[in-house]
Amino acid sequence: MPVDERIAVVGIGADGWAGLPQPAREIVLAAEVVLGAPRQLDLLPHADGQRRLRWPTPLHAGLPALFDDLAGQRVVALASGDPLLSGIGTTLIGLFGAERVTVVPAVSSVALARARLGWPAEAAAVVSVVGRDVHAVLRELAPQRRVLVLSSDEGTPQQLADLLVDRGYGASRMTVLGDLGGAAEFRLDTTAATYTGPVPRLNIVALDLAGPLTAGWVAGLPDDAYDHDGQLTKRDQRAAALARLAPAPGQLLWDVGAGAGSVSIEWMRAHPTCRAVAVEANESRAQRVSQNARSLGVPALQVVCGAAPQALADLPAPDAVFIGGGLSRAGVLDAVLAALAPGGRLVAHGVTLESETLLLAAYREHGGELTRIQVEHAAPLGSFTGWTPGRAVTQWALARS
């Protein structure tokens, strides 16, 4: 698309054409091509000579070719409510850049839902499961927490109810709000345990959570939060590693030799925009990583089944790397160090003399912090209580300058 061409993204609510302000109407009517979902296109009045096209399927793969075909034409894309709230506006800006996209927002479904419920913006989290795994809501589970869930379709509320009941949150209040702002606006007040449909396809679910605190957001979840075969970075060592990896919004972690995936999972739980790739050579463990990620509310964790360093070759550059397994494989440490840009962090754990020797050599060459972590737990000793030592872990941490 030539640089001087712009795309207008116009938000439209369930009230359709009647709810659009005059400036937005003029933008739509002046377009040669209007793109949108069938439901959105049906809300518009007739316009002579205007072409109206549905979005391609699959969406992301089809957009470049679509806009190449539309080069030189005035294009308007319709979005539901606020185009930048899990909407097509975000997608188009990511594809073409903000300087090529003009956004004309309408009131979002989230704003309308808050207004109907009397929930302040700062008092509720927002989670989108539009085209995503509904297990992402599990990251938000906490007593008395409020969550607004952008539904994928009319089946989403039932999926949410089933998940909540399974996690002991059956008493949570659920309010399903459908076709917000339209003439047929819908509301259903229920609980997760008593939910039954049907509900409109276009809906948002408000959750007022009631249940046990099962997992916090600070590093160091209990080991039994994970399904594992013993290949797990234990709780105390995991907390120490993540403190040095320093999860930050939007940043990417490589979890090399992921085992049960505990480090990458807790990295992603630290903030909704944290990203991670778990690299695990054992196929059954790689599957277990995916299962643990869904169970703990971060189903977007990318799992690569393969051995480092070969499996690292095509991955996007990391902001931080954890090596929990495979450290002694030839080339692993070198590949990771080469991938880290200035500001990147590396933490590597070793439990054998061979891996400890590698870490000592790396520490001498590159600096950083070398720590030996020994944890002991109280356990029965005959009729008394004594300390049972766990296996010592040598930890090397490096921050690139």
Side-chain angles (χ1 to χ4, degrees), residues 336-375:
V336 165
L337 287 169
L340 275 183
R345 290 86 65 200
L346 166 65
V347 174
H349 281 185
V351 296
T352 65
L353 290 175
E354 290 79 5
S355 59
E356 189 175 81
T357 299
L358 283 172
L359 294 180
L360 177 59
Y363 170 69
R364 286 174 171 167
E365 181 177 356
H366 301 284
E369 178 186 9
L370 194 65
T371 307
R372 201 155 190 257
I373 303 172
Q374 174 78 58
V375 178

Side-chain angles (χ1 to χ4, degrees), residues 165-180:
V165 170
D166 182 64
R167 298 307 175 93
Y169 277 75
S172 300
R173 292 193 296 277
M174 287 181 62
T175 301
V176 183
L177 300 165
D179 296 325
L180 279 166

